[in-house]
Amino acid sequence: MDFFNQAKAVRMRNVHEKYLTADEDEETVTQDRNGSDKRARWIVEPVRGSFEVIRLRSCYGNYLTASNERFLLGATGRKVVLAKPARLDSSVEWEPVREGSKMKLKTRYGNLLRANGGLPPWRNSVTHDTPHVSDSFLWDVDVVEILVGTATPAPAPAPAPAPVTTPPPHRRPSYSYSPVSRTSSEKSEEELTVPPPKSEGRTIYYHIADEEGHVEEESAVGYALTFKGNSVEQLTQALQEETSMDDVVVCTRNPLNGKLFPLRLQLPPNSGTMHVVLVPSGTS
């Protein structure tokens, strides 16, 4: 749960190298290789009163739901669908269970989220099933948007008519969470009081452009990657492994005219955060 407590949005990749995806019909849950599609992005919602379970909300606003309907007659697996019940019940609650470097998602009744392979109608389907030995229950979870804590300072004490011999009591600051936005040009005093988390390497935020060079939701921070190298070649290789894209050019934007241009040779020598765009090779 510590992993999901730090996440605003995630994407989940299975053993078939496909991502958990909300279908365009806004009812079906499927698998797709395009991890950059907004339909592969799931908002993480905590469940009030519980530190063990979460909800996953799709880009359409409905939830990953463990239904009671059998996927096929005679099969043990039951359908996983998109739904938005009038009352959020246990069918939309999932308990993350760590399995080495991967995750399993368990329903409140003990079934596990499963990515099915094989021939149709099993291919690309998603069900929840009783636990048994199978890699189809394992998921790689990538954080694509993080939560950032902002502290609210205690109010200043009222002026006293005479010198005070004892200091006012210290009030513990409260914390709230908000998504990162690369359009923010200023940091509030509250943000400046919170030291940034230490990490090894620099953080690279990246977007993925289509074949015409267009980038969706570019005002958002994008996907995140921790990178320890210092050359464009190393960064390109790391992003290719991260996205499963074979032939891309790593670009950045000209701050004067906003146009994309390829990064060359070395990265800036400091370890500051960078924002890049992955463009398919051959894009004009």
Side-chain angles (χ1 to χ4, degrees), residues 10-12 18-43 56-65 80-83 124 126 139:
V10 298
R11 60 181 179 182
M12 299 175 53
K18 296 179 182 179
Y19 293 86
L20 185 71
T21 302
D23 195 82
E24 293 178 346
D25 64 9
E26 301 186 21
E27 296 179 355
T28 306
V29 179
T30 185
Q31 306 169 49
D32 194 277
R33 294 194 183 278
N34 186 4
S36 64
D37 194 308
K38 67 178 182 180
R39 297 179 298 121
R41 177 188 178 97
W42 298 87
I43 301 297
L56 293 173
R57 179 162 49 87
S58 75
C59 63
Y60 301 112
N62 39 23
Y63 292 88
L64 187 71
T65 304
V80 172
V81 298
L82 298 175
N124 292 336
V126 180
W139 299 85

Side-chain angles (χ1 to χ4, degrees), residues 72-274:
L72 288 176
L73 185 64
T76 58
R78 299 181 182 272
K79 288 184 177 180
V80 172
V81 298
L82 298 175
K84 195 171 185 178
R87 180 178 177 273
L88 297 178
D89 55 23
S90 60
S91 67
V92 297
E93 295 176 357
W94 301 86
E95 179 184 351
V97 179
R98 186 177 290 277
E99 188 84 9
S101 62
K102 300 181 184 296
M103 293 280 186
K104 293 179 178 179
L105 286 183
K106 185 167 64 174
T107 71
R108 298 304 296 270
Y109 303 100
N111 281 1
L112 296 177
L113 184 69
R114 180 177 184 178
N116 299 308
L119 299 174
W122 288 105
R123 182 181 298 164
N124 292 336
S125 65
V126 180
T127 58
H128 63 99
D129 207 338
T130 52
H132 56 271
V133 179
S134 175
D135 289 343
S136 59
F137 295 118
L138 298 176
W139 299 85
D140 288 301
V141 182
D142 301 326
V143 175
V144 297
E145 190 173 348
I146 61 175
L147 291 170
V148 174
T150 57
T152 302
V164 179
T165 57
T166 58
H170 176 71
R171 178 174 295 178
R172 182 186 299 274
S174 60
Y175 291 85
S176 60
Y177 293 107
S178 60
V180 181
S181 173
R182 61 180 280 188
T183 57
S184 301
S185 58
E186 297 180 353
K187 290 186 177 180
S188 64
E189 294 180 1
E190 294 88 346
E191 288 176 314
L192 293 175
T193 64
V194 180
K198 295 182 180 180
S199 62
E200 297 182 1
R202 74 174 79 200
T203 300
I204 306 291
Y205 292 109
Y206 65 93
H207 289 82
I208 300 176
D210 59 23
E211 294 181 353
E212 297 180 356
H214 299 149
V215 181
E216 292 186 359
E217 301 180 2
E218 197 165 0
S219 60
V221 69
Y223 305 118
L225 170 73
T226 300
F227 177 65
K228 300 180 182 180
N230 55 14
S231 73
V232 176
E233 181 180 357
Q234 292 172 322
L235 176 59
T236 302
Q237 182 178 354
L239 289 170
Q240 286 175 336
E241 293 175 355
E242 173 77 8
T243 62
S244 299
M245 299 175 67
D246 296 328
D247 198 7
V248 293
V249 178
V250 180
C251 298
T252 187
R253 287 205 178 276
N254 186 317
L256 299 178
N257 56 27
K259 292 184 177 181
L260 292 172
F261 64 92
L263 286 174
R264 303 292 186 189
L265 302 177
Q266 299 294 113
L267 301 180
N270 59 42
S271 59
T273 298
M274 290 185 62

